[in-house]
Amino acid sequence: MARGGKKTEQDGPERRCIATGQSQPAAGLIRFVVGPDNQIVPDLAGKLPGRGIWVSSDRDALARAEAKKLFSRAAKQQVSVPDGLVDLVEQLVTKRVLELLSLARKAGFAIAGYEKCRDLALKDQMFVLIQASDGSPRGKTKLRPPDGDDSYIDCLNAQELGFAFGREHVIHAALRSGGLSKAVVQEAARLAGLRQIIGGTTAGEDKTNA
């Protein structure tokens, strides 16, 4: 995604959001299915059986779908929605991003630390720059993302990045091309929408120097 969390168009099959009525690549939406107990279930991996119900990866769209009972309309039957659906989806997507990032690290495609990121950039081997949303704005300007779309991620805070890298906190990280890197970018774009990234800051989150 572009600096500030702006999402760009992605290739792939398109699906229609039940909240906005707009069609867009499935990668930018959240798939839901109706479970055996007629409860709506988020299907982030897109593998659960059943007819998919799609909602844009956006807090407002999810809240609208829940409040206006659009899930029941789309399913053509009465369904129940888990309490705190929007926060639940955000938590699940966050977990998915961190798990993918951790796997990318173990496979050698993700690194952390200013010097390592700087070295990767100098060697022109940086695919994506990742920086903590609550890191020092001045400190973060010392590194620049590569040219091109989807080359910057800033929807995770320092503690979350630290969890993915087995540290207390991380401010600067980067992805090499290949492996799970594209999957990390795709899931991070969905998370950015859920966290309402505005000007590089997660809505409701205070910036702290780091």
Side-chain angles (χ1 to χ4, degrees), residues 131-145:
Q131 293 183 314
S133 59
D134 52 349
S136 163
R138 181 177 179 182
K140 290 195 290 184
T141 59
K142 295 179 181 179
L143 290 173
R144 300 290 299 175

Side-chain angles (χ1 to χ4, degrees), residues 72-92:
S72 292
R73 183 185 302 177
K76 298 182 179 179
Q77 67 181 79
Q78 194 65 34
V79 299
S80 60
V81 178
D83 292 336
L85 178 67
V86 179
D87 290 335
L88 171 63
V89 172
E90 180 187 337
Q91 291 168 10
L92 291 174

Side-chain angles (χ1 to χ4, degrees), residues 152-176:
Y152 187 69
I153 293 173
D154 65 347
C155 58
L156 296 164
N157 62 40
Q159 185 177 8
E160 289 168 337
L161 283 176
F163 178 83
F165 285 92
R167 303 181 184 182
E168 185 174 345
H169 70 275
V170 166
I171 301 299
H172 308 284
L175 295 171
R176 303 176 191 272

Side-chain angles (χ1 to χ4, degrees), residues 108-111 116-129 145-146 174-178 181:
F109 289 96
I111 62 169
K116 289 184 178 180
C117 291
R118 180 174 178 274
D119 184 60
L120 200 66
L122 291 174
K123 293 178 179 178
D124 199 26
Q125 295 178 355
M126 182 186 288
F127 176 58
V128 175
L129 174 63
L175 295 171
R176 303 176 191 272
S177 180
S181 295

Side-chain angles (χ1 to χ4, degrees), residues 21-75:
Q22 298 178 344
S23 294
Q24 65 182 81
L29 295 95
I30 305 294
R31 182 178 188 262
F32 296 86
V33 297
V34 180
D37 55 356
N38 290 334
Q39 185 175 66
I40 287 296
V41 179
D43 178 25
L44 302 184
K47 296 181 179 180
L48 292 178
R51 178 176 175 272
I53 299 173
W54 300 82
V55 183
S56 297
S57 185
D58 174 271
R59 294 189 71 86
D60 289 341
L62 282 168
R64 188 181 310 127
E66 179 180 8
K68 295 189 175 182
K69 303 186 184 304
L70 300 182
F71 286 106
S72 292
R73 183 185 302 177

